[in-house]
């Protein structure tokens, strides 16, 4: 390997360790590497432009905007009522209400932070009155937050498709089963351990005791939640019915969300609208810079043979496909402890694609594996955005929030990751059945 490449990689990891902004780490490492290699810097401009010259970037901006609007539209209390009507009767069901609510919100926001930002202020204080410790309810909501990555539409999967050149429709479907298993696993584990985190309850809301009353309550809760539930329904039916493209789906999601927030629920105000717009523009600026500079860096590494060298080294060291995938998971999990999911997608995907192609792993399945991985990253310390947001919004100190979260990560999240990794049908069967084998490719091991 060229000395210039080694220096560039060292600068990259040093920049991450000392906490420099990732986009500038990408840019600085690339510039130094090109200078040391004696190559022209114009390589950067063309590559950066090519990286962001994609219609998928427009779809990402629409879905982020729709997600921000949904978080401010006053829909959370309606979805909580629906979730309570569905699961409020089972043991630990009051906490399960939070998981089901996040499952619904995930189909609206496409991200993790808006789901907990919308649910923690509403649910955690109320659940504390019902006898659940604040740190426990915050922990399970934070550990369920990355359902926003797995339930379509998903912003990380859009970025994966942009980087890997895969079908958006197929990628969206690849994480549906992992997401549902994660939600069910969190709810099941909650059933067995919730009693450890109980305290005397002040009052618990009553539910109808008869079948007729129960059905009436579910029907009424569904009716008031219907405007919010229309958003994912319209988007997904439109995409998979061939009515409109992912770009158009994102734009329609924004329009429907505005209608729901302004006229159906009337929770979206002028101030909220402008804060959502500002947040979307800021987020898209960050994503665009990361995508442009990150692509330049990874393309340089690929051009200099780093990706192929890594593939050859992994295949030489681990002769089994299963061990190679295990090592890739460990690598991405470690990166997720220190780096946000978007930079991981931008730098890791191009570098490992030659390797996974060599060992015969389907690229739609790879998208599901990496998305589950980066989702776990938002819940694993030391750098975990959901822990920071959850701690700030609930008032639970970071160090008290981590132990109960780790129970859910170890018992539920990691097994879901391994199931996604080693059972291709979990991520490939549904896309193949709905969008067809041509968009998915062969996935049988």
């Amino acid at each position: 390997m060229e000395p210039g490449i080694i220096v560039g990689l060292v600068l990259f990891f040093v920049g991450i360790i000392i906490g420099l902004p990732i986009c500038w780490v990408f840019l600085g490492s690339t510039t130094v590497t090109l200078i040391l290699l004696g190559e022209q810097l114009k390589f950067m401009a063309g590559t950066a432009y090519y990286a962001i010259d994609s219609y998928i970037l427009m779809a990402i901006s629409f879905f982020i905007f729709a997600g921000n609007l949904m978080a401010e539209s006053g829909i959370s209390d309606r979805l909580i009522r629906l979730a309570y009507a569905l699961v409020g009767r089972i043991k630990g069901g009051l906490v399960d209400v939070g998981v089901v609510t996040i499952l619904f919100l995930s189909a609206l926001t496409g991200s993790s932070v808006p789901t907990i930002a919308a649910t923690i202020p509403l649910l955690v204080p109320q659940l504390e009155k019902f006898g659940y410790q604040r740190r426990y309810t915050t922990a399970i909501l934070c550990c369920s937050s990355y359902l926003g990555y797995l339930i379509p539409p998903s912003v990380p999967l859009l970025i994966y498709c942009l980087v890997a050149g895969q079908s958006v429709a197929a990628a969206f479907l690849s994480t549906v089963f992992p997401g549902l298993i994660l939600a069910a696993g969190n709810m099941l584990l909650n059933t067995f351990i919730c009693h450890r985190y109980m305290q005397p309850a002040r009052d618990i809301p009553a539910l109808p005791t008869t079948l007729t009353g129960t059905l009436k309550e579910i029907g009424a809760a569904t009716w008031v939640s219907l405007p919010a539930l229309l958003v994912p329904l319209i988007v997904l039916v439109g995409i998979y019915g061939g009515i409109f493209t992912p770009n158009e789906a994102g734009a329609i999601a924004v329009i429907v969300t505005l209608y729901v927030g302004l006229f159906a629920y009337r929770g979206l105000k002028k101030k909220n609208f402008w804060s959502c717009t500002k947040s979307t523009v800021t987020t898209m600026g960050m994503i665009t810079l990361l995508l442009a500079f990150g692509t330049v860096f990874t393309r340089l590494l690929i051009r200099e043979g780093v990706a192929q060298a890594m593939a050859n080294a992994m295949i030489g060291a681990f002769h089994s496909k299963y061990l190679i995938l295990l090592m890739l998971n460990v690598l991405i999990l470690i990166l997720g402890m220190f780096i946000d999911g978007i930079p991981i997608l931008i730098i890791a995907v191009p570098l490992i694609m030659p390797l996974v192609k060599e060992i015969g792993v389907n690229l739609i399945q790879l998208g599901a594996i990496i998305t589950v991985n980066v989702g776990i990253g938002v819940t694993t310390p030391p750098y975990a955005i959901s822990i920071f947001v959850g701690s700030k919004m609930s008032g639970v100190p970071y160090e008290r929030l981590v132990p109960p979260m780790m129970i859910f990560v170890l018992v539920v999240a990691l097994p879901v990751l391994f199931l996604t990794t080693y059972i291709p049908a979990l991520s490939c069967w549904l896309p193949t059945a709905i969008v067809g084998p041509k968009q998915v490719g062969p996935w049988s091991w």
Side-chain angles (χ1 to χ4, degrees):
M1 190 180 297
E2 291 280 346
I5 295 293
I6 296 173
V7 172
L9 288 171
V10 170
L11 286 175
F12 174 75
F13 287 111
V14 169
I16 289 174
I17 291 169
I18 64 177
L20 294 177
I22 299 294
C23 61
W24 304 122
V25 174
F26 281 140
L27 180 61
S29 302
T30 306
T31 303
V32 171
T33 303
L34 286 171
I35 291 172
L36 291 176
L37 292 174
E39 299 187 14
Q40 294 183 353
L41 296 180
K42 67 180 183 181
F43 160 79
M44 299 170 63
T47 305
Y49 175 79
Y50 176 80
I52 61 176
D53 181 27
S54 172
Y55 73 92
I56 295 179
L57 203 58
M58 189 185 299
I60 292 170
S61 65
F62 283 136
F63 282 118
I64 290 175
F65 191 29
N68 287 335
L69 291 171
M70 271 293 169
E72 298 286 349
S73 295
I75 67 166
S76 301
D77 52 348
R78 277 87 172 181
L79 295 178
I80 287 170
R81 179 183 172 184
L82 176 58
Y84 183 54
L86 293 172
V87 299
R89 291 169 179 76
I90 63 178
K91 182 181 177 183
L94 291 172
V95 178
D96 290 339
V97 167
V99 180
V100 176
T101 303
I102 285 181
L103 192 64
F104 289 143
L105 283 171
S106 297
L108 304 175
T109 63
S111 189
S112 63
V113 172
T115 60
I116 50 176
T119 52
I120 285 178
L122 287 173
L123 277 175
V124 170
Q126 195 67 27
L127 288 171
E128 192 173 27
K129 295 179 185 178
F130 301 159
Y132 295 94
Q133 291 182 19
R134 181 175 285 254
R135 68 180 184 128
Y136 175 70
T137 53
T138 305
I140 191 170
L141 291 177
C142 289
C143 285
S144 302
S145 65
Y146 73 93
L147 285 168
Y149 287 0
L150 306 181
I151 303 301
S154 164
V155 171
L157 278 170
L158 282 170
I159 294 173
Y160 173 79
C161 292
L162 181 57
V163 175
Q166 296 301 299
S167 162
V168 172
F172 274 179
L173 293 170
S174 69
T175 52
V176 170
F177 286 154
L180 294 176
I181 293 172
L182 178 76
N186 283 345
M187 293 169 67
L188 183 62
L189 180 58
N190 167 62
T191 302
F192 288 103
I193 69 172
C194 64
H195 65 276
R196 303 180 191 174
Y197 300 93
M198 294 292 291
Q199 55 199 22
R202 277 176 260 175
D203 54 73
I204 296 178
L207 280 171
T209 54
T210 65
L211 177 61
T212 303
T214 299
L215 293 176
K216 284 183 178 179
E217 174 59 23
I218 292 175
T222 303
W223 177 254
V224 298
S225 302
L226 199 56
L229 298 176
L230 277 175
V231 179
L233 183 64
I234 291 172
V235 168
L236 296 178
V237 169
I239 290 175
Y240 296 110
I243 302 171
F244 38 72
T245 66
N247 264 10
E248 294 164 344
I252 290 170
V254 171
I255 294 170
V256 177
T257 302
L258 281 171
Y259 173 80
V260 170
L262 291 173
F263 304 111
Y265 296 152
R266 300 183 181 181
L268 186 63
K269 307 300 180 184
K270 183 178 179 181
K271 181 180 177 181
N272 303 119
F273 176 81
W274 287 116
S275 67
C276 291
T277 304
K278 181 181 177 181
S279 175
T280 302
V281 172
T282 303
T283 302
M284 282 308 301
M286 178 269 292
I287 290 175
T288 303
L289 286 175
L290 280 173
L291 189 61
F293 297 154
T295 302
V296 170
F297 185 55
T298 52
R299 290 279 170 83
L300 177 61
L301 295 180
I302 292 169
R303 193 179 74 176
E304 297 298 323
V306 174
Q308 194 59 51
M310 185 178 76
N312 294 337
M314 290 283 283
I315 292 172
F318 306 102
H319 299 290
S320 167
K321 175 190 296 187
Y322 301 97
L323 287 177
I324 292 172
L325 288 172
L326 177 63
M327 291 300 104
L328 286 177
N329 276 327
V330 170
L331 173 64
I332 297 173
L333 283 171
I334 292 172
L335 286 174
M337 293 179 181
F338 301 96
I339 309 176
D340 194 22
I342 293 174
I344 293 175
L345 285 164
I346 292 170
I347 192 169
V349 172
L351 291 177
I352 66 177
M353 279 178 65
L355 173 61
V356 297
K357 287 179 180 177
E358 195 76 29
I359 61 177
V361 174
N362 181 277
L363 291 182
I364 294 296
Q365 184 192 4
L366 176 66
I369 294 170
I370 293 180
T371 304
V372 173
N373 241 313
V374 299
I376 294 174
V378 306
T379 64
T380 48
Y383 178 79
I385 187 65
S386 69
I387 301 180
F388 296 139
V389 174
S391 176
K392 181 180 178 181
M393 302 201 74
S394 66
V396 178
Y398 180 99
E399 62 276 7
R400 283 181 53 79
L401 190 55
V402 169
M405 284 185 66
M406 289 303 97
I407 298 174
F408 286 92
V409 170
L410 294 173
V411 177
V412 179
L414 288 181
V416 170
L417 172 61
F418 291 130
L419 288 173
T420 307
T421 301
Y422 295 116
I423 303 178
L426 198 62
S427 52
C428 294
W429 179 83
L430 188 62
T432 302
I434 293 181
V435 301
K438 287 185 178 180
Q439 293 192 48
V440 180
W443 48 268
S444 161
W445 285 14

